[in-house]
Amino acid sequence: MRIKTAACLLAVSTVLPLTACNAEPAPIPPPPPAPSASTGPECPTSGVALTAGQVEAASGLRAMKVRMVNCGATPYPVNGYPVLRLLDADRKPLTLTVAEGTSTISRIAGFDGPPKPVTLGSGGEATAVLVWRNTVTDTGVPATTGVHIEVAPASGQRGQLLTPHGGVDLGTTGTLATSPWVAVR
């Protein structure tokens, strides 16, 4: 028995993991629960959760999708545009012009039309696209760069704080355009 123990200790100390010498293997943890509709801590009281997509950039044009998911148990009606506030690093509001409709900045297929009423069932999704240009037209005016965007699903509703990677660099235009909410099929 001594030889087996010595051989085991040698094997453990050089190559093999600790479970190699008559030890019970560690139990495999159960898989995480499947996502489901809930009104728990990850689902705001409004019943919808908002997330920021990646900022896409090309030649000064910027675009970012905002995703809305009905995480509640009841249908959620959507009609119109998200309500936006641009905030600095200290979460103080910045001066901003919000344009309803992306065509003032750039036409985006599938997001350039007028709002259409949609009802999101539990787990249903809608997206809106935010568009801006990082253009400096007046060197005497400081460029506007927001760190956070507060997005509310509609007027009169509570906003949710989103922090897009890279921020929102408006240059001196001070304009951020938004599409209406569009149901994800």
Side-chain angles (χ1 to χ4, degrees), residues 50-167:
L50 304 176
T51 55
Q54 182 173 345
V55 175
E56 303 292 333
S59 300
L61 177 65
R62 310 287 193 258
M64 179 185 82
K65 280 189 180 181
V66 175
R67 180 175 169 235
M68 176 180 7
V69 176
N70 180 351
C71 53
T74 60
Y76 188 85
V78 179
N79 187 13
Y81 298 90
V83 177
L84 310 172
R85 280 191 343 147
L86 188 61
L87 309 172
D88 67 12
D90 296 323
R91 298 184 181 177
K92 292 185 177 128
L94 298 170
T95 302
L96 175 69
T97 300
V98 176
E100 291 184 342
T102 60
S103 63
T104 58
I105 305 283
S106 181
R107 295 196 183 275
I108 300 175
F111 289 92
D112 203 25
K116 295 179 183 172
V118 173
T119 299
L120 302 178
S122 184
E125 298 181 27
T127 57
V129 176
L130 308 184
V131 194
W132 66 95
R133 290 198 180 275
N134 179 12
T135 304
V136 175
T137 57
D138 184 352
T139 57
V141 175
T144 301
T145 299
V147 175
H148 310 285
I149 302 175
E150 187 180 78
V151 181
S155 182
Q157 295 184 5
R158 184 177 206 148
Q160 296 177 35
L161 190 67
L162 306 180
T163 305
H165 181 70

Side-chain angles (χ1 to χ4, degrees), residues 27-35:
I28 297 172

